[in-house]
Amino acid sequence: DTAVSQTPKYLVTQMGNDKSIKCEQNLGHDTMYWYKQDSKKFLKIMFSYNNKELIINETVPNRFSPKSPDKAHLNLHINSLELGDSAVYFCASSQTRDRGRGGQETQYFGPGTRLLVL
Amino acid sequence: GNSVTQMEGPVTLSEEAFLTINCTYTATGYPSLFWYVQYPGEGLQLLLKATKADDKGSNKGFEATYRKETTSFHLEKGSVQVSDSAVYFCALSTQAGGTSYGKLTFGQGTILTVHP
């Protein structure tokens, strides 16, 4: 019973294509995230949603559009893929415990989606 | 802004050696501190965490103490095993600007290889 799952695990595509990555969590968490890990293993947050509402939107090209149909799902759609989009994309989730002292919650990560743009 | 700096890798050790991976941070407010581990081909798993100064996180023989005075959260293990070979990430979580929600900032990761 996977806690945070992502599909697909691997994605190989041509430049200019549009693709989506799906994420689902069965932990009952109210907050979900997308992170990008580059070829040097550096991890950076891209987006975060709480109860289907966008709360973090880092400096990411607007070709990337997250969509949260419900609390348990956060999908990432990428338009006009570029070579530099090749990376591993991780989804994560957490449960907000105390609105006054946010930042203490543990984030649980999915297995990652390895995207290669040719 | 927030930042996390880890010691440069890769780190190569023999089995049963002592491990230290240094981590220092810069943050406003009162961050929570984490160590995540990424085994080859897998996602990140929480290894341990500490939410306030002087707290010690521990798991699977690994330990780290939240030192506010030195802004550090160094990871240690007394005797490493081959199965500990992985990438280790130090991270901090603070409230994302203007919200009460957590935002993780990661260090660059340290690759650990343990030989038999």
Side-chain angles (χ1 to χ4, degrees), chain A residues 44-92:
Chain A
K44 188 168 165 53
I45 190 166
M46 300 172 70
F47 302 102
S48 175
Y49 270 71
N50 175 267
N51 285 320
K52 303 194 298 175
E53 182 184 343
L54 180 67
I55 55 171
I56 296 174
N57 185 352
E58 294 292 294
T59 308
V60 176
N62 57 15
R63 298 182 295 104
F64 291 79
S65 52
K67 284 190 172 46
S68 182
D70 55 58
K71 271 194 339 180
H73 296 84
L74 180 62
N75 303 324
L76 183 65
H77 188 75
I78 315 171
N79 288 329
S80 303
L81 277 155
E82 300 178 357
L83 294 177
D85 297 332
S86 296
V88 182
Y89 292 85
F90 287 101
C91 177

mmCIF file of all heavy atoms in Angstrom, chain A residues 44-92:
data_model
loop_
_atom_site.group_PDB
_atom_site.id
_atom_site.type_symbol
_atom_site.label_atom_id
_atom_site.label_comp_id
_atom_site.label_asym_id
_atom_site.label_seq_id
_atom_site.Cartn_x
_atom_site.Cartn_y
_atom_site.Cartn_z
ATOM 1 N N LYS A 44 14.755 21.160 -5.610
ATOM 2 C CA LYS A 44 14.166 22.483 -5.409
ATOM 3 C C LYS A 44 12.655 22.388 -5.513
ATOM 4 O O LYS A 44 12.137 21.728 -6.415
ATOM 5 C CB LYS A 44 14.713 23.444 -6.456
ATOM 6 C CG LYS A 44 14.312 24.895 -6.219
ATOM 7 C CD LYS A 44 15.113 25.825 -7.090
ATOM 8 C CE LYS A 44 14.512 27.219 -7.147
ATOM 9 N NZ LYS A 44 14.270 27.810 -5.834
ATOM 10 N N ILE A 45 11.974 23.065 -4.617
ATOM 11 C CA ILE A 45 10.519 23.037 -4.643
ATOM 12 C C ILE A 45 10.013 23.818 -5.852
ATOM 13 O O ILE A 45 10.597 24.826 -6.258
ATOM 14 C CB ILE A 45 9.917 23.598 -3.343
ATOM 15 C CG1 ILE A 45 8.407 23.315 -3.294
ATOM 16 C CG2 ILE A 45 10.216 25.082 -3.183
ATOM 17 C CD1 ILE A 45 7.784 23.524 -1.958
ATOM 18 N N MET A 46 8.931 23.307 -6.440
ATOM 19 C CA MET A 46 8.296 24.001 -7.558
ATOM 20 C C MET A 46 6.947 24.577 -7.120
ATOM 21 O O MET A 46 6.680 25.761 -7.290
ATOM 22 C CB MET A 46 8.076 23.030 -8.714
ATOM 23 C CG MET A 46 9.345 22.397 -9.249
ATOM 24 S SD MET A 46 9.004 21.115 -10.449
ATOM 25 C CE MET A 46 8.389 22.085 -11.821
ATOM 26 N N PHE A 47 6.094 23.710 -6.602
ATOM 27 C CA PHE A 47 4.729 24.112 -6.240
ATOM 28 C C PHE A 47 4.299 23.412 -4.958
ATOM 29 O O PHE A 47 4.803 22.358 -4.611
ATOM 30 C CB PHE A 47 3.718 23.699 -7.325
ATOM 31 C CG PHE A 47 3.981 24.247 -8.683
ATOM 32 C CD1 PHE A 47 4.555 23.446 -9.662
ATOM 33 C CD2 PHE A 47 3.647 25.556 -9.000
ATOM 34 C CE1 PHE A 47 4.796 23.945 -10.930
ATOM 35 C CE2 PHE A 47 3.876 26.054 -10.260
ATOM 36 C CZ PHE A 47 4.459 25.244 -11.230
ATOM 37 N N SER A 48 3.289 24.031 -4.306
ATOM 38 C CA SER A 48 2.636 23.372 -3.192
ATOM 39 C C SER A 48 1.157 23.736 -3.203
ATOM 40 O O SER A 48 0.801 24.888 -3.485
ATOM 41 C CB SER A 48 3.270 23.799 -1.870
ATOM 42 O OG SER A 48 2.554 23.237 -0.789
ATOM 43 N N TYR A 49 0.313 22.745 -2.901
ATOM 44 C CA TYR A 49 -1.121 22.949 -2.810
ATOM 45 C C TYR A 49 -1.608 22.508 -1.438
ATOM 46 O O TYR A 49 -1.187 21.480 -0.921
ATOM 47 C CB TYR A 49 -1.859 22.102 -3.858
ATOM 48 C CG TYR A 49 -2.068 22.768 -5.179
ATOM 49 C CD1 TYR A 49 -0.997 22.990 -6.043
ATOM 50 C CD2 TYR A 49 -3.326 23.183 -5.573
ATOM 51 C CE1 TYR A 49 -1.186 23.614 -7.269
ATOM 52 C CE2 TYR A 49 -3.529 23.799 -6.802
ATOM 53 C CZ TYR A 49 -2.452 24.010 -7.635
ATOM 54 O OH TYR A 49 -2.645 24.624 -8.838
ATOM 55 N N ASN A 50 -2.524 23.287 -0.869
ATOM 56 C CA ASN A 50 -3.190 22.895 0.359
ATOM 57 C C ASN A 50 -4.689 22.870 0.104
ATOM 58 O O ASN A 50 -5.269 23.887 -0.302
ATOM 59 C CB ASN A 50 -2.859 23.855 1.495
ATOM 60 C CG ASN A 50 -3.646 23.542 2.758
ATOM 61 O OD1 ASN A 50 -4.718 24.102 2.994
ATOM 62 N ND2 ASN A 50 -3.131 22.646 3.555
ATOM 63 N N ASN A 51 -5.312 21.714 0.320
ATOM 64 C CA ASN A 51 -6.756 21.586 0.076
ATOM 65 C C ASN A 51 -7.140 22.151 -1.291
ATOM 66 O O ASN A 51 -8.087 22.936 -1.416
ATOM 67 C CB ASN A 51 -7.557 22.273 1.174
ATOM 68 C CG ASN A 51 -7.564 21.469 2.459
ATOM 69 O OD1 ASN A 51 -7.663 20.250 2.434
ATOM 70 N ND2 ASN A 51 -7.434 22.161 3.569
ATOM 71 N N LYS A 52 -6.402 21.756 -2.291
ATOM 72 C CA LYS A 52 -6.640 22.116 -3.699
ATOM 73 C C LYS A 52 -6.316 23.574 -4.022
ATOM 74 O O LYS A 52 -6.576 24.036 -5.126
ATOM 75 C CB LYS A 52 -8.078 21.810 -4.111
ATOM 76 C CG LYS A 52 -8.500 20.361 -3.911
ATOM 77 C CD LYS A 52 -9.793 20.047 -4.637
ATOM 78 C CE LYS A 52 -10.945 20.862 -4.126
ATOM 79 N NZ LYS A 52 -12.182 20.636 -4.925
ATOM 80 N N GLU A 53 -5.746 24.296 -3.071
ATOM 81 C CA GLU A 53 -5.433 25.702 -3.312
ATOM 82 C C GLU A 53 -3.921 25.891 -3.420
ATOM 83 O O GLU A 53 -3.163 25.406 -2.568
ATOM 84 C CB GLU A 53 -5.975 26.555 -2.168
ATOM 85 C CG GLU A 53 -5.742 28.034 -2.331
ATOM 86 C CD GLU A 53 -6.213 28.819 -1.107
ATOM 87 O OE1 GLU A 53 -6.981 28.266 -0.298
ATOM 88 O OE2 GLU A 53 -5.786 29.980 -0.961
ATOM 89 N N LEU A 54 -3.472 26.616 -4.447
ATOM 90 C CA LEU A 54 -2.044 26.857 -4.644
ATOM 91 C C LEU A 54 -1.518 27.772 -3.550
ATOM 92 O O LEU A 54 -2.045 28.866 -3.335
ATOM 93 C CB LEU A 54 -1.826 27.510 -6.014
ATOM 94 C CG LEU A 54 -0.384 27.830 -6.394
ATOM 95 C CD1 LEU A 54 0.411 26.546 -6.578
ATOM 96 C CD2 LEU A 54 -0.350 28.675 -7.666
ATOM 97 N N ILE A 55 -0.462 27.331 -2.841
ATOM 98 C CA ILE A 55 0.100 28.155 -1.778
ATOM 99 C C ILE A 55 1.570 28.499 -2.010
ATOM 100 O O ILE A 55 2.069 29.469 -1.477
ATOM 101 C CB ILE A 55 -0.068 27.508 -0.396
ATOM 102 C CG1 ILE A 55 0.533 26.098 -0.364
ATOM 103 C CG2 ILE A 55 -1.516 27.476 0.015
ATOM 104 C CD1 ILE A 55 0.594 25.508 1.022
ATOM 105 N N ILE A 56 2.289 27.687 -2.744
ATOM 106 C CA ILE A 56 3.679 27.993 -3.076
ATOM 107 C C ILE A 56 3.834 27.860 -4.581
ATOM 108 O O ILE A 56 3.447 26.861 -5.164
ATOM 109 C CB ILE A 56 4.679 27.045 -2.371
ATOM 110 C CG1 ILE A 56 4.621 27.208 -0.860
ATOM 111 C CG2 ILE A 56 6.099 27.309 -2.879
ATOM 112 C CD1 ILE A 56 5.484 26.210 -0.111
ATOM 113 N N ASN A 57 4.377 28.887 -5.188
ATOM 114 C CA ASN A 57 4.654 28.855 -6.618
ATOM 115 C C ASN A 57 6.010 29.508 -6.802
ATOM 116 O O ASN A 57 6.109 30.734 -6.859
ATOM 117 C CB ASN A 57 3.554 29.588 -7.373
ATOM 118 C CG ASN A 57 3.727 29.474 -8.878
ATOM 119 O OD1 ASN A 57 4.733 28.971 -9.363
ATOM 120 N ND2 ASN A 57 2.747 29.953 -9.617
ATOM 121 N N GLU A 58 7.048 28.689 -6.840
ATOM 122 C CA GLU A 58 8.389 29.226 -6.997
ATOM 123 C C GLU A 58 8.579 29.717 -8.434
ATOM 124 O O GLU A 58 7.691 29.609 -9.260
ATOM 125 C CB GLU A 58 9.419 28.150 -6.656
ATOM 126 C CG GLU A 58 9.384 27.751 -5.193
ATOM 127 C CD GLU A 58 9.843 28.859 -4.263
ATOM 128 O OE1 GLU A 58 11.025 29.229 -4.298
ATOM 129 O OE2 GLU A 58 9.000 29.350 -3.480
ATOM 130 N N THR A 59 9.749 30.235 -8.706
ATOM 131 C CA THR A 59 10.014 30.764 -10.045
ATOM 132 C C THR A 59 10.147 29.608 -11.019
ATOM 133 O O THR A 59 11.219 29.034 -11.183
ATOM 134 C CB THR A 59 11.314 31.593 -10.036
ATOM 135 O OG1 THR A 59 11.225 32.556 -8.996
ATOM 136 C CG2 THR A 59 11.506 32.285 -11.366
ATOM 137 N N VAL A 60 9.041 29.264 -11.616
ATOM 138 C CA VAL A 60 8.982 28.134 -12.540
ATOM 139 C C VAL A 60 8.361 28.637 -13.836
ATOM 140 O O VAL A 60 7.401 29.406 -13.780
ATOM 141 C CB VAL A 60 8.114 27.005 -11.931
ATOM 142 C CG1 VAL A 60 7.948 25.862 -12.902
ATOM 143 C CG2 VAL A 60 8.713 26.509 -10.626
ATOM 144 N N PRO A 61 8.883 28.244 -14.999
ATOM 145 C CA PRO A 61 8.279 28.688 -16.262
ATOM 146 C C PRO A 61 6.796 28.362 -16.300
ATOM 147 O O PRO A 61 6.354 27.333 -15.774
ATOM 148 C CB PRO A 61 9.041 27.885 -17.315
ATOM 149 C CG PRO A 61 10.340 27.537 -16.672
ATOM 150 C CD PRO A 61 10.055 27.377 -15.217
ATOM 151 N N ASN A 62 6.002 29.232 -16.921
ATOM 152 C CA ASN A 62 4.567 28.975 -16.937
ATOM 153 C C ASN A 62 4.183 27.853 -17.887
ATOM 154 O O ASN A 62 2.993 27.554 -18.071
ATOM 155 C CB ASN A 62 3.766 30.251 -17.228
ATOM 156 C CG ASN A 62 4.178 30.887 -18.535
ATOM 157 O OD1 ASN A 62 4.847 30.258 -19.354
ATOM 158 N ND2 ASN A 62 3.792 32.138 -18.718
ATOM 159 N N ARG A 63 5.166 27.192 -18.487
ATOM 160 C CA ARG A 63 4.888 25.942 -19.215
ATOM 161 C C ARG A 63 4.514 24.818 -18.245
ATOM 162 O O ARG A 63 3.952 23.808 -18.646
ATOM 163 C CB ARG A 63 6.126 25.506 -20.006
ATOM 164 C CG ARG A 63 6.575 26.485 -21.072
ATOM 165 C CD ARG A 63 7.781 25.963 -21.851
ATOM 166 N NE ARG A 63 8.977 25.834 -21.020
ATOM 167 C CZ ARG A 63 9.442 24.683 -20.560
ATOM 168 N NH1 ARG A 63 8.830 23.555 -20.815
ATOM 169 N NH2 ARG A 63 10.550 24.670 -19.831
ATOM 170 N N PHE A 64 4.861 25.006 -16.974
ATOM 171 C CA PHE A 64 4.528 24.025 -15.939
ATOM 172 C C PHE A 64 3.237 24.455 -15.263
ATOM 173 O O PHE A 64 3.150 25.569 -14.723
ATOM 174 C CB PHE A 64 5.638 23.945 -14.885
ATOM 175 C CG PHE A 64 6.907 23.332 -15.385
ATOM 176 C CD1 PHE A 64 7.798 24.075 -16.165
ATOM 177 C CD2 PHE A 64 7.228 22.021 -15.091
ATOM 178 C CE1 PHE A 64 8.975 23.508 -16.633
ATOM 179 C CE2 PHE A 64 8.408 21.452 -15.542
ATOM 180 C CZ PHE A 64 9.278 22.190 -16.314
ATOM 181 N N SER A 65 2.237 23.581 -15.270
ATOM 182 C CA SER A 65 0.974 23.934 -14.636
ATOM 183 C C SER A 65 0.508 22.785 -13.749
ATOM 184 O O SER A 65 0.183 21.706 -14.245
ATOM 185 C CB SER A 65 -0.087 24.296 -15.675
ATOM 186 O OG SER A 65 -0.196 23.285 -16.644
ATOM 187 N N PRO A 66 0.484 23.011 -12.443
ATOM 188 C CA PRO A 66 -0.039 21.990 -11.536
ATOM 189 C C PRO A 66 -1.557 22.038 -11.515
ATOM 190 O O PRO A 66 -2.161 23.094 -11.715
ATOM 191 C CB PRO A 66 0.545 22.417 -10.188
ATOM 192 C CG PRO A 66 0.697 23.898 -10.301
ATOM 193 C CD PRO A 66 0.932 24.214 -11.744
ATOM 194 N N LYS A 67 -2.138 20.871 -11.240
ATOM 195 C CA LYS A 67 -3.598 20.818 -11.104
ATOM 196 C C LYS A 67 -3.948 19.843 -9.990
ATOM 197 O O LYS A 67 -3.456 18.724 -9.972
ATOM 198 C CB LYS A 67 -4.249 20.364 -12.412
ATOM 199 C CG LYS A 67 -4.278 21.437 -13.476
ATOM 200 C CD LYS A 67 -5.119 21.079 -14.665
ATOM 201 C CE LYS A 67 -5.280 22.241 -15.625
ATOM 202 N NZ LYS A 67 -4.029 22.957 -15.920
ATOM 203 N N SER A 68 -4.816 20.283 -9.097
ATOM 204 C CA SER A 68 -5.209 19.451 -7.964
ATOM 205 C C SER A 68 -6.709 19.228 -8.006
ATOM 206 O O SER A 68 -7.478 20.053 -7.512
ATOM 207 C CB SER A 68 -4.802 20.142 -6.656
ATOM 208 O OG SER A 68 -5.129 19.330 -5.550
ATOM 209 N N PRO A 69 -7.156 18.099 -8.563
ATOM 210 C CA PRO A 69 -8.596 17.843 -8.642
ATOM 211 C C PRO A 69 -9.227 17.584 -7.277
ATOM 212 O O PRO A 69 -10.419 17.834 -7.088
ATOM 213 C CB PRO A 69 -8.684 16.596 -9.533
ATOM 214 C CG PRO A 69 -7.342 15.954 -9.431
ATOM 215 C CD PRO A 69 -6.355 17.048 -9.187
ATOM 216 N N ASP A 70 -8.436 17.062 -6.346
ATOM 217 C CA ASP A 70 -8.904 16.859 -4.974
ATOM 218 C C ASP A 70 -7.692 16.790 -4.057
ATOM 219 O O ASP A 70 -6.560 16.810 -4.527
ATOM 220 C CB ASP A 70 -9.768 15.589 -4.845
ATOM 221 C CG ASP A 70 -9.062 14.358 -5.354
ATOM 222 O OD1 ASP A 70 -7.959 14.050 -4.838
ATOM 223 O OD2 ASP A 70 -9.577 13.712 -6.281
ATOM 224 N N LYS A 71 -7.940 16.677 -2.758
ATOM 225 C CA LYS A 71 -6.827 16.727 -1.785
ATOM 226 C C LYS A 71 -5.813 15.629 -1.984
ATOM 227 O O LYS A 71 -4.658 15.754 -1.611
ATOM 228 C CB LYS A 71 -7.402 16.585 -0.372
ATOM 229 C CG LYS A 71 -7.797 17.852 0.283
ATOM 230 C CD LYS A 71 -8.043 17.746 1.769
ATOM 231 C CE LYS A 71 -8.344 16.401 2.338
ATOM 232 N NZ LYS A 71 -8.570 16.431 3.788
ATOM 233 N N ALA A 72 -6.230 14.505 -2.562
ATOM 234 C CA ALA A 72 -5.354 13.342 -2.658
ATOM 235 C C ALA A 72 -4.536 13.310 -3.938
ATOM 236 O O ALA A 72 -3.699 12.428 -4.116
ATOM 237 C CB ALA A 72 -6.180 12.060 -2.543
ATOM 238 N N HIS A 73 -4.777 14.235 -4.834
ATOM 239 C CA HIS A 73 -4.104 14.223 -6.135
ATOM 240 C C HIS A 73 -3.506 15.585 -6.474
ATOM 241 O O HIS A 73 -4.129 16.625 -6.236
ATOM 242 C CB HIS A 73 -5.092 13.848 -7.258
ATOM 243 C CG HIS A 73 -5.631 12.459 -7.129
ATOM 244 N ND1 HIS A 73 -6.714 12.165 -6.324
ATOM 245 C CD2 HIS A 73 -5.227 11.283 -7.682
ATOM 246 C CE1 HIS A 73 -6.959 10.863 -6.398
ATOM 247 N NE2 HIS A 73 -6.076 10.309 -7.216
ATOM 248 N N LEU A 74 -2.289 15.534 -7.023
ATOM 249 C CA LEU A 74 -1.662 16.752 -7.551
ATOM 250 C C LEU A 74 -0.901 16.347 -8.797
ATOM 251 O O LEU A 74 0.085 15.626 -8.727
ATOM 252 C CB LEU A 74 -0.704 17.385 -6.538
ATOM 253 C CG LEU A 74 -0.012 18.661 -7.023
ATOM 254 C CD1 LEU A 74 -1.034 19.767 -7.325
ATOM 255 C CD2 LEU A 74 1.010 19.163 -6.000
ATOM 256 N N ASN A 75 -1.399 16.790 -9.955
ATOM 257 C CA ASN A 75 -0.794 16.439 -11.224
ATOM 258 C C ASN A 75 0.035 17.606 -11.741
ATOM 259 O O ASN A 75 -0.210 18.770 -11.394
ATOM 260 C CB ASN A 75 -1.886 16.061 -12.231
ATOM 261 C CG ASN A 75 -2.754 14.924 -11.708
ATOM 262 O OD1 ASN A 75 -2.263 14.014 -11.041
ATOM 263 N ND2 ASN A 75 -4.052 14.984 -11.992
ATOM 264 N N LEU A 76 1.020 17.270 -12.568
ATOM 265 C CA LEU A 76 1.884 18.295 -13.138
ATOM 266 C C LEU A 76 1.850 18.166 -14.650
ATOM 267 O O LEU A 76 2.212 17.121 -15.194
ATOM 268 C CB LEU A 76 3.320 18.111 -12.619
ATOM 269 C CG LEU A 76 4.337 19.159 -13.065
ATOM 270 C CD1 LEU A 76 3.976 20.537 -12.508
ATOM 271 C CD2 LEU A 76 5.739 18.768 -12.621
ATOM 272 N N HIS A 77 1.408 19.223 -15.318
ATOM 273 C CA HIS A 77 1.361 19.230 -16.766
ATOM 274 C C HIS A 77 2.459 20.142 -17.283
ATOM 275 O O HIS A 77 2.649 21.248 -16.757
ATOM 276 C CB HIS A 77 -0.007 19.719 -17.264
ATOM 277 C CG HIS A 77 -0.161 19.561 -18.741
ATOM 278 N ND1 HIS A 77 -0.392 18.335 -19.331
ATOM 279 C CD2 HIS A 77 -0.095 20.461 -19.740
ATOM 280 C CE1 HIS A 77 -0.461 18.500 -20.634
ATOM 281 N NE2 HIS A 77 -0.296 19.779 -20.911
ATOM 282 N N ILE A 78 3.188 19.663 -18.290
ATOM 283 C CA ILE A 78 4.296 20.441 -18.837
ATOM 284 C C ILE A 78 4.055 20.617 -20.335
ATOM 285 O O ILE A 78 3.933 19.632 -21.074
ATOM 286 C CB ILE A 78 5.654 19.756 -18.622
ATOM 287 C CG1 ILE A 78 5.780 19.228 -17.186
ATOM 288 C CG2 ILE A 78 6.786 20.746 -18.923
ATOM 289 C CD1 ILE A 78 6.996 18.349 -16.957
ATOM 290 N N ASN A 79 3.977 21.853 -20.765
ATOM 291 C CA ASN A 79 3.801 22.170 -22.195
ATOM 292 C C ASN A 79 5.141 22.429 -22.857
ATOM 293 O O ASN A 79 6.101 22.882 -22.215
ATOM 294 C CB ASN A 79 2.937 23.430 -22.350
ATOM 295 C CG ASN A 79 1.491 23.177 -22.013
ATOM 296 O OD1 ASN A 79 0.975 22.078 -22.203
ATOM 297 N ND2 ASN A 79 0.823 24.196 -21.490
ATOM 298 N N SER A 80 5.194 22.165 -24.129
ATOM 299 C CA SER A 80 6.367 22.519 -24.955
ATOM 300 C C SER A 80 7.681 22.143 -24.266
ATOM 301 O O SER A 80 8.532 22.994 -23.987
ATOM 302 C CB SER A 80 6.372 24.032 -25.247
ATOM 303 O OG SER A 80 5.187 24.410 -25.871
ATOM 304 N N LEU A 81 7.838 20.869 -24.022
ATOM 305 C CA LEU A 81 8.998 20.389 -23.270
ATOM 306 C C LEU A 81 10.318 20.813 -23.913
ATOM 307 O O LEU A 81 10.463 20.828 -25.139
ATOM 308 C CB LEU A 81 8.938 18.869 -23.151
ATOM 309 C CG LEU A 81 8.041 18.390 -22.011
ATOM 310 C CD1 LEU A 81 7.517 16.994 -22.259
ATOM 311 C CD2 LEU A 81 8.811 18.459 -20.692
ATOM 312 N N GLU A 82 11.283 21.167 -23.035
ATOM 313 C CA GLU A 82 12.619 21.578 -23.475
ATOM 314 C C GLU A 82 13.654 20.624 -22.904
ATOM 315 O O GLU A 82 13.400 19.909 -21.917
ATOM 316 C CB GLU A 82 12.903 22.997 -22.982
ATOM 317 C CG GLU A 82 11.924 24.030 -23.498
ATOM 318 C CD GLU A 82 12.186 25.424 -22.958
ATOM 319 O OE1 GLU A 82 13.108 25.582 -22.117
ATOM 320 O OE2 GLU A 82 11.472 26.354 -23.372
ATOM 321 N N LEU A 83 14.842 20.638 -23.521
ATOM 322 C CA LEU A 83 15.910 19.740 -23.066
ATOM 323 C C LEU A 83 16.195 19.932 -21.573
ATOM 324 O O LEU A 83 16.436 18.974 -20.839
ATOM 325 C CB LEU A 83 17.187 19.987 -23.868
ATOM 326 C CG LEU A 83 17.129 19.643 -25.354
ATOM 327 C CD1 LEU A 83 18.447 20.019 -26.027
ATOM 328 C CD2 LEU A 83 16.822 18.172 -25.573
ATOM 329 N N GLY A 84 16.150 21.180 -21.125
ATOM 330 C CA GLY A 84 16.478 21.498 -19.738
ATOM 331 C C GLY A 84 15.448 21.014 -18.729
ATOM 332 O O GLY A 84 15.679 21.096 -17.526
ATOM 333 N N ASP A 85 14.326 20.512 -19.243
ATOM 334 C CA ASP A 85 13.311 19.971 -18.328
ATOM 335 C C ASP A 85 13.667 18.558 -17.879
ATOM 336 O O ASP A 85 13.014 18.021 -16.968
ATOM 337 C CB ASP A 85 11.936 19.953 -18.999
ATOM 338 C CG ASP A 85 11.448 21.345 -19.355
ATOM 339 O OD1 ASP A 85 11.851 22.307 -18.659
ATOM 340 O OD2 ASP A 85 10.683 21.479 -20.332
ATOM 341 N N SER A 86 14.659 17.963 -18.509
ATOM 342 C CA SER A 86 15.078 16.612 -18.125
ATOM 343 C C SER A 86 15.545 16.630 -16.674
ATOM 344 O O SER A 86 16.439 17.397 -16.309
ATOM 345 C CB SER A 86 16.217 16.131 -19.027
ATOM 346 O OG SER A 86 15.786 16.017 -20.358
ATOM 347 N N ALA A 87 14.928 15.788 -15.869
ATOM 348 C CA ALA A 87 15.196 15.783 -14.421
ATOM 349 C C ALA A 87 14.362 14.672 -13.805
ATOM 350 O O ALA A 87 13.608 13.981 -14.499
ATOM 351 C CB ALA A 87 14.816 17.118 -13.783
ATOM 352 N N VAL A 88 14.503 14.528 -12.496
ATOM 353 C CA VAL A 88 13.602 13.651 -11.752
ATOM 354 C C VAL A 88 12.630 14.544 -10.995
ATOM 355 O O VAL A 88 13.055 15.474 -10.295
ATOM 356 C CB VAL A 88 14.354 12.735 -10.767
ATOM 357 C CG1 VAL A 88 13.367 11.799 -10.063
ATOM 358 C CG2 VAL A 88 15.422 11.930 -11.485
ATOM 359 N N TYR A 89 11.355 14.288 -11.128
ATOM 360 C CA TYR A 89 10.319 15.095 -10.477
ATOM 361 C C TYR A 89 9.708 14.271 -9.340
ATOM 362 O O TYR A 89 9.252 13.147 -9.535
ATOM 363 C CB TYR A 89 9.240 15.511 -11.485
ATOM 364 C CG TYR A 89 9.789 16.479 -12.506
ATOM 365 C CD1 TYR A 89 10.452 16.019 -13.639
ATOM 366 C CD2 TYR A 89 9.681 17.858 -12.315
ATOM 367 C CE1 TYR A 89 10.995 16.912 -14.559
ATOM 368 C CE2 TYR A 89 10.204 18.743 -13.229
ATOM 369 C CZ TYR A 89 10.869 18.267 -14.345
ATOM 370 O OH TYR A 89 11.401 19.148 -15.249
ATOM 371 N N PHE A 90 9.741 14.853 -8.157
ATOM 372 C CA PHE A 90 9.211 14.180 -6.973
ATOM 373 C C PHE A 90 7.967 14.880 -6.473
ATOM 374 O O PHE A 90 7.936 16.110 -6.334
ATOM 375 C CB PHE A 90 10.243 14.174 -5.839
ATOM 376 C CG PHE A 90 11.388 13.234 -6.049
ATOM 377 C CD1 PHE A 90 12.610 13.699 -6.479
ATOM 378 C CD2 PHE A 90 11.235 11.879 -5.822
ATOM 379 C CE1 PHE A 90 13.677 12.837 -6.670
ATOM 380 C CE2 PHE A 90 12.296 11.006 -6.008
ATOM 381 C CZ PHE A 90 13.508 11.479 -6.442
ATOM 382 N N CYS A 91 6.978 14.080 -6.156
ATOM 383 C CA CYS A 91 5.783 14.556 -5.477
ATOM 384 C C CYS A 91 5.947 14.260 -3.989
ATOM 385 O O CYS A 91 6.623 13.284 -3.608
ATOM 386 C CB CYS A 91 4.574 13.811 -6.043
ATOM 387 S SG CYS A 91 3.014 14.204 -5.275
ATOM 388 N N ALA A 92 5.369 15.075 -3.144
ATOM 389 C CA ALA A 92 5.420 14.848 -1.696
ATOM 390 C C ALA A 92 4.117 15.311 -1.070
ATOM 391 O O ALA A 92 3.362 16.083 -1.683
ATOM 392 C CB ALA A 92 6.600 15.590 -1.065
#
